């Protein structure tokens, strides 16, 4: 192991893992620095009590809100990053998301690249993450250069019934794009039963398409790749001119270490990337690295999301519930002038989730009553775009921790989407539904998606006065610093963000390979 590399990648999640995976076959000497370790494979991976009540896989960290109140963010610092716990719903942004979009609370800004620019990389990302789906079903999607590599995961009977109801009522349901590695030849992965433990749980049989299994494990034993786990990057140092990152400062085992590379790629997740940049202030960059524009940490987005459970008389024995989505309200409609967003399914509710979610309310409820309730539930996830407000931002507290200020936008659109869902429920055999909001993943001080879909804190753009990164995701103010996590998003659209981070990391990885050669 050496101390100088061609490229250092900080963070091994969707962005960083994919970028390393893109560079590794070129022979580039890559060092991956990851603050976490490997998530253990153990029976508790699929134990809802361990995951949702005990928070077994939530990493210890404390952030602060705008009022200085401590919050416990739902973060997962592991090899693979947030993808170890994500739902692997791997959507492309819609072509309209790349232009300006007029919302009830303002305008969502245009991207400096178009859907067409990213399209080839979306196709490659779908291949790499083994996405199951069917292009051509959803009227809002853009063109595609390759069909999904795998047929969609089929709907289980209760979902098929809901699809029929939706189609009969004139809606356009489509097969949701799901990242699953269904490998019959692999003795462990072949055990994948498309279960209810895909969304919000780590996958015991490594059959969920995550960044650990698909990007890091395939390259980590190559001679040109080094992976350091439990390596917390605290700051970046530059030369006197401030144009070049000269060292990456790491805390590992209580010791401070330094590594250097021709190129440094930051991909620590939107909040931690902003933290590292701000903590790296020096004489040449007094407001934080790459922050002459004062944009680092600003424009934080996380989606205006709502999880809804619909109880019906009819049982719902579905195991893998994430097969269905609807984009009929993605843009404005004849009777509503603004976009509302996406409706999709989430992982099936199980009784212990309620105990984790509402400990007081459920304290005296016998287990069987919760089991009975859960067996009738159909779970929906509603996503509305939120706006990148400059005042929604990550700053640092006096002790260097993350302070997150956030004000939600586009609430009338989110409410309208919820109203549309209630109409849908009447069309899908659930006239006697009862609707309740829930935070599916765990109990939180801020809404779950506040951390899950974090993005926007180092946006890319043409103008150095209003963006942190250029179109190649290189910091405008430095020659060898890139960012490829979801920080680069100028807007977030209303679909899940991971596939866009993956596609962009392939794009930037190819740019770096060309630059290095
Ligand atoms: C419960 C849950 C469900 C989700 N479901 C979906 C879904 O279905 N579909 C979807 O598209 N998205 C989903 N997401 C969001 C998705 O996981 C993220 O958008 C995606 O992982 C972001 O990629 P990233 O590279 O920006 O960050 P991450 O994947 O989080 O990677 C960041 C990495 O950096 C490491 N790191 C952080 N700080 C440091 C440091 N100082 N030094 C070294 N390493 C550091 C972290 O440990 C982590 O490995 C979900 C997220 C969660 C939490």
């Amino acid at each position: 192991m050496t101390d100088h590399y061609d490229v250092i990648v900080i963070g091994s999640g969707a962005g960083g893992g994919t970028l390393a995976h893109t560079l590794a076959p070129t022979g580039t000497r890559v060092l991956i620095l990851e603050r976490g370790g490997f998530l253990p494979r153990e029976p508790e991976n699929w134990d809802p009590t361990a995951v949702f009540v005990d928070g077994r896989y939530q990493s210890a960290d404390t952030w602060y809100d705008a009022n200085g109140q401590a919050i416990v963010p739902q973060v997962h610092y592991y090899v693979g990053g947030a993808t170890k716990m994500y739902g692997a719903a791997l959507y492309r942004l819609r072509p309209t998301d790349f232009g300006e979009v007029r919302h009830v609370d303002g305008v969502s800004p245009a991207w400096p690249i178009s859907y067409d620019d990213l399209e080839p990389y979306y196709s490659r990302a779908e291949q790499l993450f083994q996405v199951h789906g069917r292009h051509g079903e959803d009227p809002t999607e853009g063109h595609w250069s390759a069909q999904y590599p795998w047929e969609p995961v089929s709907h289980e009977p209760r979902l098929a019934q809901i699809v029929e109801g939706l189609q009969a009522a004139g809606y356009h349901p489509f097969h949701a794009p799901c990242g699953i590695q269904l490998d019959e030849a692999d003795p462990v992965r072949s055990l994948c039963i498309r279960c209810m433990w895909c969304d919000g749980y780590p996958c015991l049989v490594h059959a969920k398409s995550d960044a650990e299994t698909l990007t890091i494990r395939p390259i980590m034993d190559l001679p040109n790749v080094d992976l350091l786990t439990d390596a917390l990057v605290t700051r970046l140092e530059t030369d006197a001119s401030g144009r070049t990152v000269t060292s990456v400062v790491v805390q590992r085992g209580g010791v401070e270490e330094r590594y250097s590379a021709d190129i440094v790629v930051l991909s620590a997740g939107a909040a931690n990337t902003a933290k590292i940049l701000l903590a790296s202030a020096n004489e040449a960059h007094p407001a934080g690295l790459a922050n002459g524009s004062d944009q680092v940490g600003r424009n934080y987005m996380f989606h205006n999301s709502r999880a809804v459970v619909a109880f019906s008389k009819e049982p719902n024995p579905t195991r893998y519930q994430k097969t269905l989505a609807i984009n009929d309200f993605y843009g404005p409609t004849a009777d509503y002038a603004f976009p509302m967003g996406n409706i999709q399914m989430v992982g099936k509710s199980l009784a212990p989730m309620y105990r984790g979610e509402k400990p007081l309310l459920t304290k005296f409820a016998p287990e069987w009553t919760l089991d009975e309730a859960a067996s009738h539930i159909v779970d929906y996830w509603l996503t509305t775009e939120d706006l990148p407000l400059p005042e929604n931002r990550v700053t640092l507290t006096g002790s260097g921790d993350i302070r997150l200020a956030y004000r939600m936008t586009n609430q009338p659109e989110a409410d309208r989407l919820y109203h549309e869902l209630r109409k849908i429920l009447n069309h899908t055999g659930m006239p006697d539904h009862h609707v309740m909001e829930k935070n599916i993943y765990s109990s939180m001080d801020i809404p779950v998606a506040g951390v899950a879909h974090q993005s926007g804190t180092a946006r890319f753009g043409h103008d150095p006065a209003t963006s942190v990164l250029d179109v190649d995701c290189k910091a405008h103010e430095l020659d060898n610093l890139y960012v490829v996590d979801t920080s680069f998003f100028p807007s977030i659209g209303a679909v899940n963000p991971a596939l866009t981070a993956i596609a962009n990391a392939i794009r930037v990885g190819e740019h770096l390979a060309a630059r290095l050669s």
Side-chain angles (χ1 to χ4, degrees):
M1 182 156 171
T2 144
D3 284 351
H4 189 86
Y5 291 83
D6 295 325
V7 177
I8 290 178
V9 182
I10 301 165
S12 63
T18 304
L19 182 113
H21 184 272
T22 308
L23 285 177
T26 66
T28 305
R29 283 170 303 134
V30 179
L31 171 65
I32 304 162
L33 295 168
E34 168 54 53
R35 73 186 285 172
F38 285 93
L39 193 145
R41 291 168 85 176
E42 53 188 10
E44 287 87 347
N45 289 174
W46 286 352
D47 176 349
T49 303
V51 175
F52 290 99
V53 182
D54 305 339
R56 186 175 177 86
Y57 303 110
Q58 190 160 321
S59 303
D61 205 353
T62 305
W63 298 359
Y64 295 86
D65 69 13
N67 302 317
Q69 283 288 337
I71 53 178
V72 181
Q74 188 208 18
V75 283
H76 310 283
Y77 299 142
Y78 294 103
V79 174
T83 70
K84 287 308 296 173
M85 305 296 283
Y86 80 160
L90 291 170
Y91 289 82
R92 298 177 178 209
L93 285 172
R94 277 35 207 163
T96 49
D97 293 321
F98 290 79
E100 283 191 353
V101 179
R102 199 170 63 88
H103 283 277
V104 64
D105 283 341
V107 173
S108 159
W111 285 42
I113 60 173
S114 68
Y115 175 84
D116 289 352
D117 293 327
L118 202 55
E119 195 289 326
Y121 304 101
Y122 271 134
S123 279
R124 289 179 46 195
E126 285 163 356
Q127 305 286 325
L128 177 62
F129 272 66
Q130 306 197 12
V131 186
H132 296 236
R134 186 173 295 145
H135 287 304
E137 289 182 342
D138 170 23
T140 68
E141 75 176 327
H143 72 91
W144 62 93
S145 50
Q147 186 49 272
Y148 284 109
W150 278 268
E151 280 290 301
V153 182
S154 54
H155 301 304
E156 291 178 45
R158 180 73 180 102
L159 269 280
Q161 205 181 22
I162 291 173
V163 168
E164 269 175 35
L166 284 166
Q167 285 170 336
Y171 296 105
H172 302 88
F174 61 97
H175 285 93
C178 307
I180 324 180
Q181 305 171 56
L182 293 179
D183 186 349
E184 297 302 329
D186 181 303
V188 178
R189 263 181 209 135
S190 62
L191 300 176
C192 172
I193 51 164
R194 277 156 277 176
C195 62
M196 50 258 279
W197 301 294
C198 213
D199 197 1
Y201 298 80
C203 181
L204 179 60
V205 297
H206 276 186
K208 179 162 74 176
S209 296
D210 65 32
E212 177 202 344
T213 55
L214 287 171
T215 69
I216 299 295
R217 284 194 180 270
I219 62 166
M220 62 190 238
D221 294 326
L222 294 177
N224 58 316
V225 175
D226 285 326
L227 167 67
L228 278 188
T229 56
D230 302 307
L232 175 73
V233 173
T234 54
R235 64 184 193 283
L236 310 178
E237 294 174 339
T238 70
D239 63 4
S241 76
R243 294 294 314 180
T244 306
V245 176
T246 49
S247 311
V248 177
V249 184
V250 175
Q251 279 290 335
R252 201 162 65 102
V255 178
E256 188 169 272
E257 299 173 347
R258 278 179 171 68
Y259 297 91
S260 64
D262 294 348
I263 288 169
V264 173
V265 182
L266 195 42
S267 192
N272 278 300
T273 278
K275 177 182 177 179
I276 292 168
L277 290 172
L278 293 172
S280 303
N282 60 22
E283 254 180 49
H285 297 271
L289 204 56
N291 197 22
S293 61
D294 191 27
Q295 292 299 308
V296 170
R298 293 188 184 274
N299 313 306
Y300 182 95
M301 296 165 282
F302 70 72
H303 277 144
N304 186 336
S305 300
R306 183 179 284 183
V308 175
V309 294
F311 295 90
S312 65
K313 285 182 183 155
E314 194 154 356
N316 177 19
T318 308
R319 285 187 321 203
Y320 187 85
Q321 194 172 237
K322 296 172 63 72
T323 54
L324 161 66
I326 307 165
N327 271 343
D328 289 51
F329 312 102
Y330 202 85
T333 58
D335 49 7
Y336 191 67
F338 299 103
M340 286 162 267
N342 164 276
I343 299 176
Q344 60 185 275
M345 318 300 292
V346 275
K348 185 81 182 63
S349 287
L350 296 170
M353 292 179 181
Y354 300 122
R355 294 210 191 276
E357 181 62 29
K358 305 264 183 229
L360 289 179
L361 202 67
T362 55
K363 191 168 178 191
F364 300 109
E367 196 69 23
W368 69 268
T369 57
L370 297 180
D371 282 339
E372 179 60 16
S375 69
H376 286 257
I377 279 170
V378 181
D379 305 75
Y380 296 87
W381 180 262
L382 278 53
T383 305
T384 298
E385 178 167 19
D386 60 339
L387 295 173
L389 302 183
E391 65 270 26
N392 286 350
R393 65 187 297 204
V394 170
T395 51
L396 299 187
T397 65
S399 51
D401 293 310
I402 289 174
R403 183 195 291 118
L404 181 56
Y406 185 81
R407 175 168 67 82
M408 183 63 78
T409 49
N410 297 335
Q411 193 55 40
E413 296 175 6
D415 291 342
R416 181 70 187 214
L417 189 61
Y418 181 48
H419 168 75
E420 296 294 347
L421 176 70
R422 295 181 73 105
K423 285 203 279 182
I424 284 176
L425 293 174
N426 286 323
H427 289 302
T428 51
M430 283 182 260
D432 298 327
H433 64 261
H434 171 68
V435 176
M436 166 179 116
E437 283 179 47
K438 70 166 185 169
N439 167 352
I440 185 165
Y441 295 116
S442 66
S443 80
M444 295 268 305
D445 300 308
I446 54 172
V448 58
V451 176
H453 289 187
Q454 56 183 284
S455 60
T457 53
R459 66 185 179 189
F460 76 155
H462 295 293
D463 183 356
T466 57
S467 57
V468 178
L469 310 172
D470 69 13
V471 171
D472 295 323
C473 288
K474 184 185 78 62
H476 288 296
E477 296 167 24
L478 287 103
D479 297 325
N480 70 338
L481 176 65
Y482 290 76
V483 177
V484 296
D485 54 33
T486 50
S487 308
F488 83 95
F489 284 33
S491 67
I492 193 171
V495 287
N496 319 44
L499 190 78
T500 299
I502 294 163
N504 183 63
I506 298 173
R507 183 182 75 92
V508 175
E510 290 203 338
H511 161 79
L512 290 183
R515 175 176 163 170
L516 287 163
S517 70

